[in-house]
Amino acid sequence: MMKLKRLIFLALVPLVAAMGGKPEGEADQSQRYVRGMVPAARSEAPEVERPTRELAILSAAEADPAQFMWQQRPLVIFADTVADPAFVEQLAEVRRDSIPLLMRDVVVITDTDPAANSIWRRQLRPEGFSLVLMDKDGQVKQRKPVPWSVREITRAIDKFPLRRQEIGRSRLP
């Protein structure tokens, strides 16, 4: 009987040791978890650098496509009038969530005057409301006849070959 108790004791010692040293009531404050949060002592993720500048929203008259070449990604929003509901919705969406666009070097160009026949209209030839997403190399990558959320825009940008190269470079030491 004594040998059986000793055998059980020796089998349980490693299990108890693996469970930890402190009882539940004496847990270190930095080790407590709040639902959805990671304790500060264990967080190893680097802080995301937030852009300090504001999203540039320019009218077509004050912007030339050549000035953005290899510098920024133009997001051109066309409409026949400023009161177009799709235009108003798209502009509100872009203003509401601008940080992801800033992180991807996006500049917003608005063109609501078809009579002015801007260089943007001559090059892109929109009809009514149109959302045109261009890459830094000046190529048109997406055209949409309806408003898009910032999430959809940024997901499209993240699939561009140029953006994939930028992401790859940012991970290098």
Side-chain angles (χ1 to χ4, degrees):
M1 183 71 171
M2 189 65 153
K3 285 186 176 183
L4 183 59
K5 286 183 181 179
R6 182 180 283 165
L7 183 61
I8 292 172
F9 176 76
L10 290 175
L12 291 177
V13 167
L15 293 174
V16 172
M19 290 173 53
K22 293 184 180 181
E24 189 175 322
E26 298 177 24
D28 186 28
Q29 291 294 338
S30 67
Q31 299 300 317
R32 289 193 182 179
Y33 289 89
V34 176
R35 185 176 183 178
M37 295 186 67
V38 177
R42 292 196 180 233
S43 177
E44 296 178 11
E47 289 186 27
V48 176
E49 188 175 313
R50 299 283 183 200
T52 55
R53 57 190 169 93
E54 287 188 29
L55 182 66
I57 299 177
L58 309 170
S59 73
E62 56 186 75
D64 181 34
Q67 78 188 67
F68 303 113
M69 189 70 75
W70 301 110
Q71 301 298 315
Q72 291 180 300
R73 291 181 175 87
L75 174 66
V76 190
I77 306 171
F78 292 103
D80 291 338
T81 70
V82 178
D84 184 333
F87 176 79
V88 172
E89 180 185 341
Q90 185 65 65
L91 208 52
E93 176 69 27
V94 166
R95 285 186 172 137
R96 182 175 34 253
D97 194 16
S98 63
I99 292 176
L101 297 173
L102 278 170
M103 293 174 70
R104 289 163 179 83
D105 300 325
V106 172
V107 59
V108 178
I109 311 296
T110 61
D111 190 338
T112 56
D113 185 12
N117 201 21
S118 70
I119 189 168
W120 296 96
R121 279 194 185 269
R122 288 192 304 266
Q123 282 184 359
L124 302 174
R125 300 178 185 192
E127 294 180 17
F129 176 84
S130 183
L131 179 69
V132 180
L133 182 56
M134 301 172 70
D135 204 359
K136 288 183 176 182
D137 60 2
Q139 293 183 357
V140 173
K141 296 295 185 179
Q142 294 276 328
R143 286 179 181 267
K144 295 294 169 185
V146 294
W148 251 20
S149 70
V150 169
R151 182 171 184 257
E152 291 171 316
I153 294 168
T154 56
R155 287 183 65 130
I157 291 171
D158 288 344
K159 293 177 186 175
F160 295 172
L162 210 58
R163 174 67 179 159
R164 288 181 176 242
Q165 287 177 358
E166 291 172 0
I167 294 169
R169 277 193 220 121
S170 67
R171 291 186 183 160
L172 294 176

